[in-house]
Amino acid sequence: MATAAQQLTVAPATGTYALDMAHSTVGFEARHMVFTRVRGHFGEVEGGFVVAEDPDNSSVDVTIKAASIDSGVADRDVHLRSGDFLDVEKYPDIRFRSTGVNIAGPTNGTLSGELTIRDITRPVVLDVEYLGGGVDPYGREKAALSASTEIDREDWGLTWNVALETGGVLVSKKIKIDIEVAGVLQK
């Protein structure tokens, strides 16, 4: 069996990368009333990733300011920040810390980690794709990655809901998470 380093044929430069939030998005999607999609993102995300010589030793550590949630509707965002959902006054941060990397192909694999929401930490696995990298016009080495997963929000104590007369519930339990990040290599 090939090692992770042998399987990954295209890779970013090794080193520590800080997130470039001008070119990054941490987004989510939920179902509303069973049939419509509500999308949003978090505007304040800090952290980065380390690309190690041996890709198996690479890592990610990111903190999201829960209050920076933006679904495009102010009243809904107030509700999402409340105790019914994220309770941002009591739990201001959402954190993801990787625990393992599994390279599956030349530019893709999975990233295992721990996601903490409302001080509840649960394991998650993200499908990850390396999108490319290079030097920007300012001489900074950059790398771009895409990641996605789906979680059951109730696993993190996000249980508020309303039953619908026609069946189903107002807010889906399943939440899709889609991440597009650019990192700047720190020198």
Side-chain angles (χ1 to χ4, degrees):
M1 176 174 229
T3 67
Q6 292 167 329
Q7 291 174 358
L8 188 65
T9 59
V10 179
T14 59
T16 300
Y17 290 78
L19 293 183
D20 174 3
M21 286 312 297
H23 300 99
S24 300
T25 303
V26 175
F28 62 89
E29 178 184 299
R31 290 286 184 163
H32 177 259
M33 293 186 63
V34 181
F35 52 84
T36 63
R37 291 184 176 128
V38 172
R39 292 182 177 97
H41 70 278
F42 292 90
E44 294 181 44
V45 183
E46 300 170 344
F49 53 94
V50 174
V51 177
E53 288 286 337
D54 177 352
D56 288 331
N57 296 325
S58 296
S59 61
V60 174
D61 194 346
V62 176
T63 300
I64 300 165
K65 296 299 179 190
S68 72
I69 194 167
D70 182 355
S71 69
V73 177
D75 288 343
R76 178 172 48 223
D77 294 343
V78 168
H79 191 203
L80 292 172
R81 291 181 189 109
S82 77
D84 286 343
F85 288 99
L86 295 174
D87 198 357
V88 301
E89 294 296 322
K90 189 172 182 182
Y91 309 105
D93 295 330
I94 297 169
R95 184 174 183 209
F96 176 80
R97 185 184 66 80
S98 66
T99 57
V101 176
N102 180 21
I103 306 300
T107 59
N108 65 305
T110 58
L111 182 66
S112 300
E114 297 175 335
L115 178 62
T116 302
I117 303 172
R118 294 175 57 121
D119 282 352
I120 298 170
T121 302
R122 299 270 189 250
V124 295
V125 177
L126 291 93
D127 294 316
V128 179
E129 180 181 5
Y130 172 58
L131 302 174
V135 178
D136 73 10
Y138 307 103
R140 300 177 302 176
E141 180 79 26
K142 288 189 167 183
L145 302 161
S146 174
S148 63
T149 193
E150 185 174 272
I151 64 170
D152 182 334
R153 66 185 176 90
E154 291 186 353
D155 289 345
W156 284 269
L158 304 169
T159 59
W160 182 92
N161 227 328
V162 173
L164 301 173
E165 286 182 26
T166 56
V169 291
L170 188 63
V171 182
S172 63
K173 289 174 33 169
K174 298 291 183 188
I175 306 295
K176 291 181 183 178
I177 299 172
D178 290 306
I179 303 162
E180 299 283 333
V181 296
V184 178
L185 183 62
Q186 304 300 289
K187 300 200 183 220

